[in-house]
Amino acid sequence: MGKLVAETMEIGLIITAIVVIVFDVTMWCYTSTIRGYQFTTFVGARIGDILGMFVLYSMPVIVLTIIATAYLAIKQQYPSDLRASWFRRFCRLLWTRPLVVNEFLGVLNGFDLLVILSTIFVVLWMVLNELLPQLRSLHGNPMAGLLKWKPIGVVLGRVAVLPISLLLIPVSRSSPILRAIDIPFEQAVKYHIWLGHLTMAMLLGHVSIFIGIFAYKHHMVKLVTWPPTGVSYLAGLIAFVAGSLMWITALPLIRRRFFNAFYYTHQLYILFFAFLVYHVGVTTAGYYIGGVFLYLLDRFFRVHQSRKKMLISSAKILSNDVVELKIPKLPSMEHSALSFIFINIPSISPLEWHPFSVASSPLDETAITLYVKPFGITSWTQHLHTLVTRSTKKNGSGCPFAQKFSMEGPYGHESNFFLRYKTLLLVAGGIGITPFLAMISDILHRYEAAHTYLPQHVHFTWIVPTSADLHILQQLAPTSIFPQLQSSNLTIVVDVYVTRDNAIRPEFEPSLSVARNSADVEPSLVETMSIRHNLHMACLILGTVLISITLFAILQHHALKRQKNGFGEKIPSWIQASLFFCSLAIGIGGMGGFLITCWSKTFRYKRNSSASVVSNETEFQLQENVLYQPHQFPGCDDLELGARTLCHQSYTTLRKGRPILSEVLDAVLERYTNENVGVLASGPESLQRDVANMCRNHSSNNYATAQILNYHSVSFRL
């Protein structure tokens, strides 16, 4: 009965979300028409201009967020069957069928094209509806050549509000909207990039036209004026300069060579949005403040989450210089197998945060494992490698590994979508193996727990430069997780292609490792609040929104509407904007801080209650597993566990050169016919494009067949 009610509520929430989306799109299209302008004026006259714009344009985004949070809470309580209905299978095709593959756009699926085309349609609709009537009114005017430019500049500025309203939603890491449709942050970043280019291109045209008009009329002094009321050109110019710096440093050529410059420059978003409000006024800010508010709340939550300093329990350097980090965690910590976390180590850099894929299963109740490949001589990852190397030398004298760090996350896919495929084809390059280790480990744990509807065939193709990279495979022993693997219906096949040296199974050197004493493990257990606490997240969003609106409404009605200055005029618009910022700060910082504090205390109480009932045997296993270090021996067998690691020849075949992906795919499809195959790629962008192109060509050539290739990218790359 509960399952039926949950499914009914899910359908109701989905229908409500569709209605809200249709209403929001309709309002954006309608606002550019004469009747739309009359309607917004009518609403503003009834409830106030500022509140009217907020309700019509920003509130739908917040309502959609609350709906998504409720949907996630139901899905968390009543997980859906992996055997999806035809409607869900059709929706998944939008996400998993590559339609466009090229170097400029990357890999685009049906959902990506839907987002691009719908955004372009609404923008063009708004531009044409606002611009054409004004241009017709200038027809026959001898000064039309000059006068035409001003309405074009005005329209570009007005329509730019649409992409601005959506700009920060894709980069809100805890966004319930993205989690509800299972688009992780690392894949949603591309929407932010596209919207950023569109926004700055329109603002560039807007600013250029007005600077040209002012220069022609010799009114350049207006650019540095800030009138008490009306439009402040100086504020707009400051916002544009801040946006331009972010835009330039975000270009791929600059971002990849000078990432720190890109990262620090992007903190100017505060100036951009603040002076944008000073430029256009609080009323116009009602068009886009919803997405900005949710992003600021996300940042506040992340700051609170990352305040706690934790300790890395152990670190190890493998033969290929990859650094393995183990972070102890509580069994109650929830994340998916394809999760990633951001970590900051103050001893390396107090400001730099770096994302790393989790290489361990969420069913591993003892620790989170990360693998870090050092790149560059002066990079953050190289500094981490140096830090661990120095610690291993000191460890001989009894010095513990006591590096403190902060963590954000875990983020990533909301669901373990790979479990719905009977056959998995995994293709990785280099350190891109990390998420696939977590996947294989998770599948093994689920087989051991006797779960149903699990993958039966895992074919893993890994491309590495040297055979020393195989040392990572030695860290996973399948039969130590699932002892009945050989007699089960699960098969794991690993093909390793070595591109530089000879494909000879190496004798690995002993790992350089350093670990904390087992008595010190308990204080460092990860105990961060999770974005998966959906009801708490809903209360946080609702509480902060209501307090911010209420506080500003009080200021608006009792201060701005009634108070007059000495000249009998309204209070200047910059004061109104400043009071608006104060309302947001108190709503997010005050009410948000109060709710998060209550949330944190509740979390600690539940953690302490659950910790008090843990048996001594479980505690002993936790400490032993956290500090476990596999030993090297011929054949890659593990003497401690008495089990073969994934590096063993019974799982892994070494090959020389690069694979021909089409032949790899044909071999898998020939062996496992009439099955939907999940194809996952992790590694360099060129590798992902090759795999996506392979899936697209197969789908195009075999459209009528029952066998479908479902492509997924699991790489994180800014």
Side-chain angles (χ1 to χ4, degrees), residues 11-168:
I11 295 174
L13 290 173
I14 292 174
I15 294 175
T16 306
I18 293 174
V19 171
V20 173
I21 293 173
V22 171
F23 171 80
D24 194 30
V25 174
T26 302
M27 284 306 306
W28 281 105
C29 294
Y30 194 52
T31 189
S32 59
T33 64
I34 296 177
R35 291 186 178 181
Y37 175 77
Q38 294 173 347
F39 176 73
T40 54
T41 303
F42 172 79
V43 173
R46 294 296 182 273
I47 62 176
D49 292 336
I50 298 175
L51 185 59
M53 297 303 102
F54 180 82
V55 170
L56 292 177
Y57 298 98
S58 290
M59 186 58 76
V61 177
I62 296 176
V63 171
L64 197 62
T65 303
I66 300 299
I67 293 173
T69 308
Y71 176 81
L72 290 169
I74 296 174
K75 295 286 288 184
Q76 188 178 45
Q77 188 70 23
Y78 300 96
S80 60
D81 197 328
L82 291 175
R83 299 172 298 176
S85 63
W86 67 268
F87 176 74
R88 289 184 177 177
R89 288 197 297 268
F90 171 76
C91 292
R92 287 169 183 169
L93 285 178
L94 292 177
W95 275 265
T96 62
R97 183 69 64 87
L99 299 178
V100 176
V101 181
N102 59 53
E103 188 173 354
F104 178 70
L105 293 175
V107 181
L108 303 183
N109 54 37
F111 184 79
D112 297 333
L113 292 180
L114 180 63
V115 170
I116 293 174
L117 295 177
S118 58
T119 303
I120 293 176
F121 170 78
V122 176
V123 168
L124 290 178
W125 174 276
M126 294 178 65
V127 169
L128 295 177
N129 271 281
E130 291 204 18
L131 188 59
L132 291 180
Q134 298 186 51
L135 295 181
R136 291 194 192 101
S137 65
L138 297 175
H139 183 69
N141 191 321
M143 293 294 293
L146 174 64
L147 296 177
K148 280 183 180 179
W149 288 105
K150 184 174 181 179
I152 293 175
V154 172
V155 169
L156 287 176
R158 284 175 54 85
V159 179
V161 174
L162 171 61
I164 290 174
S165 68
L166 303 173
L167 186 60
L168 295 181

Side-chain angles (χ1 to χ4, degrees), residues 7 35 44 110 115 135 149 247 268 276 282 371 391 411 462 464 466 473-474 485 505 560-561 576 578 583 647:
E7 291 179 352
R35 291 186 178 181
V115 170
L135 295 181
W149 288 105
W247 192 23
L268 294 175
L276 190 61
V282 179
Y371 290 106
S391 298
Y411 304 109
W462 188 27
V464 294
T466 65
L473 294 178
Q474 194 186 1
L485 174 61
R505 199 172 299 273
L560 301 179
K561 291 293 185 181
Q576 187 180 20
S578 299
S583 302
C647 180

